[in-house]
Amino acid sequence: MDLNTLIQMLDATVRLATPLLLACLAGLYSERAGIFDIGLEGKMLAAAFVAAAIASVTGQVYLGLLAGIGASLLLSAIHGVASITFRGNQLISGVAINFLAAGLSVVIAQSWFRQGGRTPQLSGEGRFRSITLPFAESLSGVPVLGPIYAELISGHSILVYVAFLTVPLTWWLLFRTRFGLRLRAVGENPAAVDTAGVSVIGLRFAAVGICGILCGLAGAYLATGLQTSFTKDMTSGRGYIALAALIFAKWRPWHALYACLLFGFLQVIPLRPDLITNTLGLRLNGQLLEALPYILTVVILAGFVGKAIPPRAGGTPYVKER
Amino acid sequence: MDAMPKWAEVTLVPLISLLLAAILSALVILAIGENPWAAVKLMVSGALGSTYGWGYTLYYATNFIFTGLAVSIAFQARMFNIGGEGQALVGGLGVALVLLYLPFPHWTIALIASAAGAALFGAAWAFIPAILQAKRGSHIVITTIMFNFIAASLLNYMLVGPIKAPGQEPATSKFPATTQLPSFQDMFSTADTVLFRGAPANVTFFVGIAACFALWLLIWRTRLGYELRAFGHSESAAKYAGISPTKIIVVSMLISGGLAGMMAINNVQGEAERLVLNAVEGAGFIGIAVALMGRSHPVGVFIAALLFGFLYQGGAELALWTSIPRELIVVIQALVILFTGALDNMVRMPLEKVFLSMRRPPKPDRKSTTARAAE
């Protein structure tokens, strides 16, 4: 494997890791506040559909992005009402949201565009273009570092940079601000937060809201950045992989970045089976490569790579008075 | 003290949830420019208007009985088995291997063997997530979801490789004729009138009813069922009473996976008579809605499975005659899960208030009032 192929694969890794990273950070806010969210998948899917639909109708990708975030926030609100206000089962609520998005997106897409549950192809202003960072062209001649800068770091769409910048931002917000301290506290011991006079319900809704925004970005990137239209079930389990990455990262932002890059890389491998054959000298079966991220997730969950301890109050609704 | 009488708990709460889901679904149909009332009429006539329609409705219901029971038994032990889809897929593999490679003189023997194969494969697929939950504390919801994806890859591999029949299609060859299960058409038609013509409902429906009864016996009439429910109510109390959490988690998940796997005798042996790609078609997930609506009770599961069988066949008719796509059933399924599962309290709280206000105040009792005054 030469440098160019390696850069190509890492470049693809960055692209495929972006939706995972956004969804993973979304789950991080929610779960740190004590709300389990297996509805990441559904929120991404809803955002992907609405973003692609609005972008294709208006021709403006940013309108699509806003609408996608709106759709994702709406599902977040349902999750919040069900699991915070009515103290329902958070896992079941998440499952319901996933099916709601899977069903509604196709039903509406079919009645709107009549293309078998997909949206028209986006072009021009309708999708996110890649951004060339300054000096990328002129520096590409520099050995080793030049191609890395020009191919790997430059030339992604704006949402990729947003996703990677969200990592330090999340770290700062969670570990260096008052809001972050309270958010983490509400996931560990909500009664203590309540005693201090801070609203548990308010904090949890804020966390679920942030989760909705980030899932919206992830979904919009899928349909308008990575691909050029919405297709049925296009998230294909990314929401669940993001959850697995979150557990792997033990609910920490920087580790979430590494976990998502790893899972992104695992998604790239099946696209280049020839490379595996050449470098490792063995022929791996296509279906095995397909299943690899899921198998690895189970291995990680089994705790062979250190024990993952979730936020203590995760999954339990807060009751103010007994 | 219960705020609500038992009959209201088991009938009113699911019915109101269903009504809310129906109203929202009607709004969705309106929003895409179709007439909800006409849609309902079409669904009823398509699913229940003929023995042919009933044959499909009961066929789908049979699938959902098995997956619904699978989710229910896990719910009783407070396990959430989302992996019914994968377990049913692998159960289909078990059925195919048994029927393709073993000779059977008669369908009755074939049915027993294929049911055993399906249950064994389904249970095996549930075993790894169960043992990981019990021993390593890995969250069963996530691991069972992952096993759904892995099952899909495994079936892809098997159907394009080792057990593929010659030809273009990724499927096995047809099972031998002696293993074909009698359909409702074979069982109920007389010489003059043909009933259930061409519909896939088959003898497995009665296996499903038997499974409902067996599960009821298991949950409410055996020691294991008692331990299972005790564990579901309070893990710490069950532990204190000497019930092993590992045993309950693994056993409940094995039964759950086995039941989900047994769905395959209906769709693989009964209907397709060979194993094809994506044979389960989401029935494993519908089991979640069925179990929630049926309040995890075999009788409730049976009724909810019939209802979803009707919705599924009705939805297929809608997709055939109108521009409403089949995915509408996924929306209805999602709404049922949302209202009966997650928003349960939203329906329950106002109802409890109504019942509390209807309750007569207890008669004033001289002794107790004086006793309270003396305190």
Side-chain angles (χ1 to χ4, degrees):
Chain A
M1 193 160 24
D2 58 350
L3 183 68
N4 265 337
T5 11
L6 185 67
I7 288 179
Q8 268 175 24
M9 283 189 79
L10 292 179
D11 185 54
T13 301
V14 167
R15 285 169 206 276
L16 287 175
T18 297
L20 294 179
L21 180 58
L22 285 166
C24 186
L25 292 171
L28 192 137
Y29 281 98
S30 186
E31 301 213 346
R32 276 282 187 167
I35 304 291
F36 280 155
D37 194 350
I38 55 174
L40 298 174
E41 175 91 358
K43 281 187 278 231
M44 277 162 80
L45 193 63
F49 164 65
V50 173
I54 298 295
S56 85
V57 169
T58 61
Q60 292 293 324
V61 71
Y62 284 95
L63 284 179
L65 175 68
L66 280 181
I69 291 174
S72 171
L73 272 175
L74 193 70
L75 290 180
S76 272
I78 293 177
H79 188 54
V81 168
S83 56
I84 304 171
T85 312
F86 287 109
R87 299 181 209 134
N89 186 321
Q90 300 167 5
L91 296 171
I92 294 177
S93 168
V95 171
I97 283 169
N98 287 342
F99 287 125
L100 198 60
L104 269 184
S105 59
V106 177
V107 169
I108 300 174
Q110 173 60 19
S111 87
W112 197 349
F113 299 105
R114 312 233 170 247
Q115 294 187 2
R118 52 183 301 154
T119 62
Q121 294 287 324
L122 297 169
S123 57
E125 290 296 305
R127 62 178 305 227
F128 282 103
R129 306 255 193 85
S130 46
I131 296 172
T132 311
L133 294 182
F135 314 116
E137 294 284 316
S138 47
L139 285 177
S140 63
V142 179
V144 185
L145 287 180
I148 288 180
Y149 181 71
E151 300 287 330
L152 187 57
I153 298 176
S154 165
H156 295 289
S157 81
I158 179 89
L159 288 181
V160 175
Y161 301 108
V162 169
F164 280 83
L165 286 177
T166 311
V167 177
L169 184 72
T170 300
W171 173 82
W172 177 78
L173 195 65
L174 280 182
F175 298 99
R176 288 294 178 273
T177 68
R178 183 189 300 197
F179 171 76
L181 179 66
R182 287 172 174 174
L183 190 118
R184 285 182 291 134
V186 94
E188 298 288 341
N189 190 347
V193 178
D194 203 15
T195 312
V198 182
S199 162
V200 173
I201 295 194
L203 271 169
R204 287 193 162 169
F205 264 107
V208 169
I210 297 173
C211 170
I213 294 172
L214 290 174
C215 280
L217 288 171
Y221 174 73
L222 269 183
T224 60
L226 198 61
Q227 317 271 327
T228 56
S229 69
F230 167 83
T231 47
K232 182 185 167 182
D233 288 332
M234 75 180 303
T235 41
S236 58
R238 283 189 172 89
Y240 301 121
I241 296 183
L243 270 185
L246 182 60
I247 296 169
F248 191 26
K250 295 173 192 165
W251 295 269
R252 291 170 298 187
W254 284 105
H255 295 76
L257 171 65
Y258 310 141
C260 289
L261 284 172
L262 172 68
F263 281 99
F265 187 68
L266 285 177
Q267 289 187 326
V268 173
I269 292 176
L271 305 178
R272 296 296 300 272
D274 54 310
L275 283 178
I276 300 289
T277 318
N278 291 343
T279 46
L280 297 178
L282 52 105
R283 275 175 58 85
L284 280 181
N285 171 278
Q287 282 85 16
L288 181 67
L289 288 175
E290 235 175 60
L292 202 58
Y294 309 113
I295 296 173
L296 189 76
T297 304
V298 174
V299 172
I300 288 164
L301 282 172
F304 297 121
V305 204
K307 190 135 184 73
I309 300 162
R312 187 179 294 166
T316 42
Y318 178 61
V319 184
K320 205 177 175 79
E321 287 173 354
R322 290 271 178 209
Chain B
M1 184 183 71
D2 289 329
M4 247 194 292
K6 189 131 202 264
W7 65 267
E9 167 81 35
V10 297
T11 56
L12 274 187
V13 177
L15 279 182
I16 292 176
S17 305
L18 189 68
L19 191 69
L20 287 170
I23 292 170
L24 282 181
S25 313
L27 288 178
V28 170
I29 297 178
L30 263 184
I32 60 174
E34 295 276 342
N35 180 350
W37 182 240
V40 170
K41 278 203 288 193
L42 189 60
M43 284 174 85
V44 170
S45 71
L48 310 174
S50 62
T51 54
Y52 170 81
W54 271 101
Y56 269 93
T57 300
L58 292 179
Y59 163 70
Y60 290 127
T62 310
N63 285 341
F64 306 150
I65 287 174
F66 283 109
T67 55
L69 288 177
V71 179
S72 297
I73 179 83
F75 270 154
Q76 291 286 356
R78 203 171 286 181
M79 293 278 115
F80 190 7
N81 178 15
I82 276 194
E85 188 81 6
Q87 290 143 17
L89 274 173
V90 178
L93 187 62
V95 168
L97 292 179
V98 165
L99 295 182
L100 283 175
Y101 297 109
L102 296 178
F104 291 103
H106 192 257
W107 66 264
T108 43
I109 304 167
L111 177 63
I112 294 168
S114 65
L120 199 70
F121 272 63
W125 205 247
F127 176 71
I128 304 170
I131 198 80
L132 288 179
Q133 167 80 59
K135 293 282 184 197
R136 316 281 312 187
S138 353
H139 207 300
I140 197 135
V141 170
I142 313 274
T143 41
T144 47
I145 290 172
M146 294 299 141
F147 267 70
N148 284 342
F149 286 107
I150 300 172
S153 291
L154 176 70
L155 268 276
N156 272 355
Y157 166 71
M158 293 301 280
L159 287 177
V160 299
I163 58 171
K164 182 179 177 302
Q168 291 292 317
E169 233 184 328
T172 65
S173 48
K174 216 158 172 66
F175 302 144
T178 50
T179 66
Q180 282 174 13
L181 297 179
S183 69
F184 275 20
Q185 186 182 341
D186 306 333
M187 290 156 72
F188 295 111
S189 295
T190 55
D192 325 317
T193 49
V194 179
L195 295 174
F196 301 104
R197 188 194 295 274
N202 58 70
V203 69
T204 319
F205 179 67
F206 301 106
V207 180
I209 293 177
C212 285
F213 183 67
L215 205 69
W216 175 80
L217 274 182
L218 175 80
I219 297 175
W220 277 280
R221 288 291 179 275
T222 66
R223 186 197 177 105
L224 176 69
Y226 176 76
E227 291 182 348
L228 222 132
R229 283 181 294 134
F231 181 81
H233 277 292
S234 165
E235 187 177 338
S236 52
K239 240 190 233 168
Y240 189 70
I243 296 170
S244 152
T246 309
K247 178 187 145 192
I248 294 299
I249 291 173
V250 171
V251 169
S252 64
M253 281 300 289
L254 284 180
I255 300 172
S256 178
L259 282 167
M262 276 174 74
M263 184 198 123
I265 54 178
N266 188 44
N267 68 336
V268 177
Q269 188 182 6
E271 198 249 347
E273 293 170 353
R274 59 184 188 144
L275 186 61
V276 295
L277 267 186
N278 191 22
V280 182
E281 292 182 317
F285 294 121
I286 292 183
I288 300 168
V290 168
L292 284 170
M293 231 195 115
R295 290 283 180 264
S296 303
H297 189 288
V299 175
V301 165
F302 179 73
I303 297 169
L306 285 182
L307 177 84
F308 268 91
F310 156 72
L311 286 174
Y312 217 74
Q313 169 57 12
E317 291 285 317
L318 278 186
L320 200 61
W321 301 111
T322 69
S323 65
I324 303 173
R326 224 188 151 132
E327 276 75 11
L328 183 72
I329 175 74
V330 181
V331 177
I332 299 178
Q333 173 197 348
L335 291 170
V336 168
I337 295 176
L338 188 68
F339 285 114
T340 57
L343 287 171
D344 188 54
N345 281 334
M346 188 181 87
V347 178
R348 188 187 298 272
M349 281 173 182
L351 264 182
E352 283 182 352
K353 268 189 197 144
V354 170
F355 275 100
L356 276 178
S357 66
M358 272 171 25
R359 181 172 295 169
R360 266 191 234 134
K363 271 189 189 155
D365 181 21
R366 189 172 291 273
K367 252 186 203 162
S368 65
T369 44
T370 49
R372 195 167 296 153
E375 267 174 24

